[in-house]
């Protein structure tokens, strides 16, 4: 049997995972900072262990010298979404990128596996620039909801525990749980608009309050102490009242005061 230098073989894949994580986390961060809805809830990555690679190679009758050519999921990232409707948006994000090429897609959400597994898989080719030159590395991107991921993680742990031979009664219970997770996703989709509106309102309020506090802090250096005491009392009253319109008017009043003192 050919001896594999695992450190040398796996390094490009590890670097690929790191770079893909950075790219998609940055994309999520950019959306949030610009106030654009981000379909990405979180991103994680993983590198297949040598034992898992050898097991898959043996199962698929892949010779050691063909591992890099025929095993496409040594490097992988997982993008989690809050809602099923977010998954197509992430898929389009991946398809439109110029720094990677999609070579295969597997839809296990529309075509659920018999076990109940649901996820969307994309196999990509990623151009990696190393100290030894450019190398194209295959990687797998899994896209699923948090509910799908909870089920898949539990199923994977049981499959590992039972060496792939999960007892039939457990398989039946897992399938029932998969259906429950799917129905949870469907129910969450029906209340998505309400959740999104609540998140947007909370973000607006946080930005408004931050602006009010900044104005109050600036006025402390120029306004009278009695005036500041009244301003603080009014802010606390409005904050406790949770009236957004009243807070907006209060902030406008502070903006005018701050402008007057600047003049």
């Amino acid at each position: 049997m050919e001896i594999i230098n695992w450190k040398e073989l796996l390094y490009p894949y590890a670097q690929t995972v790191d770079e893909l994580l950075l790219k998609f986390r940055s994309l999520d961060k950019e959306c949030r900072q610009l106030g654009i809805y981000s379909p990405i809830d979180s991103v994680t990555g993983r590198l297949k262990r040598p034992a898992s690679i050898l097991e898959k190679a043996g199962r698929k009758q892949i010779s050691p010298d063909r591992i890099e050519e025929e095993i496409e999921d040594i490097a992988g990232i997982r993008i989690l979404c809050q809602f099923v409707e977010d998954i197509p948006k992430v898929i389009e994000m991946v398809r439109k990128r110029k720094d990677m090429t999609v070579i295969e897609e597997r839809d296990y959400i529309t075509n659920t596996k018999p076990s109940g597994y649901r996820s969307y898989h994309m196999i990509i080719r990623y151009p990696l620039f190393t100290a030894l030159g450019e190398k194209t590395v295959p990687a797998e991107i899994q896209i699923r909801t948090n509910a799908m991921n909870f089920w898949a993680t539990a199923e994977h742990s049981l499959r590992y525990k039972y060496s792939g031979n999960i007892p039939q009664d457990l398989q039946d219970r897992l399938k029932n749980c998969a259906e429950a997770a799917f129905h949870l996703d469907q129910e969450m989709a029906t209340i998505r608009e309400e959740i999104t509106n609540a998140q947007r309102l909370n973000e607006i309020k946080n930005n408004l309050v931050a602006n009010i506090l900044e104005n109050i802090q600036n006025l402390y250096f120029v306004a009278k102490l009695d005036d500041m005491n009244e301003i603080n009392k009014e802010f606390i009253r409005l904050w406790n009242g949770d009236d957004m319109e009243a807070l907006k008017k209060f902030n406008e009043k502070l903006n005018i005061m701050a402008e007057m003192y600047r003049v």
Side-chain angles (χ1 to χ4, degrees), residues 70-134:
E70 297 189 38
I71 298 183
E72 299 171 319
D73 63 343
I74 294 175
I77 66 165
R78 184 171 297 147
I79 301 175
L80 300 185
C81 306
Q82 285 187 309
F83 305 99
V84 176
E85 290 83 0
D86 291 332
I87 293 176
K89 296 175 185 176
V90 176
I91 292 169
E92 279 306 303
M93 282 181 170
V94 177
R95 287 174 180 164
K96 289 178 179 178
R97 294 193 71 96
K98 303 298 183 184
D99 53 353
M100 59 191 72
T101 303
V102 178
I103 61 167
E104 187 179 349
E105 299 185 32
R106 303 166 188 161
D107 185 356
Y108 298 123
I109 296 175
T110 303
N111 306 301
T112 310
K113 285 190 174 184
S115 64
Y117 178 83
R118 288 179 171 89
S119 187
Y120 198 96
H121 293 191
M122 305 179 82
I123 302 298
I124 65 165
R125 290 281 186 268
Y126 181 75
L128 183 71
F129 296 90
T130 72
L132 301 176
E134 184 177 351

Side-chain angles (χ1 to χ4, degrees), residues 120-169:
Y120 198 96
H121 293 191
M122 305 179 82
I123 302 298
I124 65 165
R125 290 281 186 268
Y126 181 75
L128 183 71
F129 296 90
T130 72
L132 301 176
E134 184 177 351
K135 179 182 178 68
T136 302
V137 181
E140 180 182 67
I141 300 176
Q142 296 179 355
I143 309 163
R144 59 176 74 145
T145 64
N146 289 312
M148 293 174 190
N149 188 60
F150 177 79
W151 181 91
T153 302
E155 193 268 353
H156 180 78
S157 297
L158 285 172
R159 190 168 296 280
Y160 178 79
K161 178 181 178 180
Y162 289 99
S163 302
N165 299 309
I166 301 175
Q168 187 59 49
D169 65 319

Side-chain angles (χ1 to χ4, degrees), residues 157-245:
S157 297
L158 285 172
R159 190 168 296 280
Y160 178 79
K161 178 181 178 180
Y162 289 99
S163 302
N165 299 309
I166 301 175
Q168 187 59 49
D169 65 319
L170 266 181
Q171 290 186 43
D172 294 340
R173 289 163 65 188
L174 277 169
K175 193 164 185 178
N176 290 336
C177 287
E179 290 305 310
F182 179 65
H183 289 309
L184 173 62
D185 276 332
Q186 288 182 313
E187 183 64 22
M188 288 298 291
T190 64
I191 60 173
R192 173 180 182 168
E193 191 63 32
E194 185 176 338
I195 293 172
T196 303
N197 287 339
Q199 290 174 333
R200 189 180 298 117
L201 185 64
N202 189 53
E203 187 174 345
I204 292 171
K205 183 178 179 181
N206 287 340
N207 291 336
L208 180 60
V209 169
N211 192 251
I212 289 172
L213 292 174
E214 184 180 358
N215 272 330
I216 289 175
Q217 184 178 6
N218 291 335
L219 286 169
Y220 258 111
F221 295 101
V222 292
K224 295 177 182 178
L225 184 59
D226 289 343
D227 290 342
M228 292 311 302
N229 286 336
E230 288 303 315
I231 287 172
N232 279 322
K233 286 178 183 178
E234 187 174 358
F235 172 60
I236 291 170
R237 179 180 63 79
L238 292 173
W239 170 261
N240 290 331
D242 205 27
D243 186 335
M244 283 290 294
E245 287 305 314

Side-chain angles (χ1 to χ4, degrees), residues 236-261:
I236 291 170
R237 179 180 63 79
L238 292 173
W239 170 261
N240 290 331
D242 205 27
D243 186 335
M244 283 290 294
E245 287 305 314
L247 280 169
K248 285 179 183 178
K249 290 178 181 178
F250 179 62
N251 190 46
E252 289 170 6
K253 173 184 169 182
L254 293 181
N255 284 334
I256 292 170
M257 288 181 65
E259 193 63 35
M260 287 174 59
Y261 278 110

Side-chain angles (χ1 to χ4, degrees), residues 19-49:
E19 292 191 15
L20 290 175
L21 284 174
L22 179 63
K23 287 175 185 289
F24 284 101
R25 285 172 178 169
S26 295
L27 183 61
D28 175 40
K29 183 179 179 181
E30 181 184 3
C31 287
R32 295 177 192 275
Q33 288 187 341
L34 294 175
I36 303 169
Y37 176 75
S38 174
I40 299 172
D41 189 51
S42 63
V43 189
T44 58
R46 66 104 182 96
L47 190 66
K48 255 191 189 314
R49 294 175 298 178

